[in-house]
């Protein structure tokens, strides 16, 4: 995997994932993101492959970009096509996937820990916080 920085789209696998998102019909892009989350959470306690983790992080960044406090995806390696408004229901799935990426056994976590990846981990945790904030707001709205 070619990695050049710590951002969600700063590696070859995420750039390829962006192409997959772009190639999906607009009404199916949310499903592409949800599939990326389910592929990560579906491994359960088994070893999580780095490529699956990278795709889930990229997908989470796209969801977080539409959340209050989320940063827009401005990387030239991100999707070129506009992302339609995404359902709020993707947020909890994204949080669950990010939690799994940061839980051993996770190849991506191991790779970053071998190279002093605290800044990378902090970035993933920031994404998670934005997504969890949106999920918490959604739940509060349902309870009201």
């Amino acid at each position: 995997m070619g990695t050049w920085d710590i951002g969600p789209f700063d590696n070859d696998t995420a750039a390829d994932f962006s192409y997959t998102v772009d190639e999906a019909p607009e009404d199916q892009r949310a499903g592409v993101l949800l599939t990326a989350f389910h592929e990560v959470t579906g491994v359960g306690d088994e070893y999580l492959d780095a490529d699956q983790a990278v795709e889930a992080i990229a997908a989470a960044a796209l969801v977080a970009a539409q959340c209050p406090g989320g940063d827009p995806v401005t990387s030239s390696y991100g999707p070129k096509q506009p992302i339609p408004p995404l359902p709020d229901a993707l947020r909890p799935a994204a949080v669950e996937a990010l939690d799994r990426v940061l839980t051993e056994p996770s190849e991506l976590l191991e790779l970053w820990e071998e190279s002093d990846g605290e800044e990378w981990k902090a970035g993933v945790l920031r994404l998670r916080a934005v997504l969890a904030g949106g999920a918490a707001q959604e739940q509060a709205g349902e309870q009201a």
Side-chain angles (χ1 to χ4, degrees):
M1 168 174 74
T3 300
W4 49 88
D5 209 346
I6 62 168
F9 293 95
D10 293 341
N11 60 76
D12 291 334
T13 301
D16 290 345
F17 179 72
S18 293
Y19 180 77
T20 301
V21 172
D22 279 340
E23 288 299 303
E26 186 174 314
D27 64 340
Q28 294 176 20
R29 291 191 187 132
V32 170
L33 305 182
L34 187 59
T35 296
F37 301 143
H38 285 166
E39 286 182 5
V40 165
T41 57
V43 301
D45 294 334
E46 299 295 316
Y47 192 73
L48 176 60
D49 180 75
D51 287 346
Q52 290 175 304
V54 163
E55 289 183 0
I57 291 170
L62 295 172
V63 176
Q66 294 187 7
C67 295
D71 294 325
V73 174
T74 57
S75 171
S76 61
Y77 299 99
K80 307 295 182 249
Q81 301 300 319
I83 303 297
L86 297 168
D88 290 344
L90 284 178
R91 295 174 185 175
V95 168
E96 185 179 359
L98 293 179
D99 286 345
R100 180 60 188 89
V101 168
L102 295 174
T103 302
E104 293 183 13
S106 169
E107 182 182 19
L108 188 62
L109 178 62
E110 290 172 10
L111 291 169
W112 279 107
E113 286 179 342
E114 290 172 3
S115 62
D116 192 27
E118 287 305 311
E119 192 176 351
W120 167 82
K121 190 173 184 179
V124 175
L125 290 171
R126 276 192 301 276
L127 273 179
R128 187 198 185 285
V130 167
L131 291 159
Q137 290 172 358
E138 178 184 320
Q139 289 175 346
E142 290 173 2
Q143 294 174 356

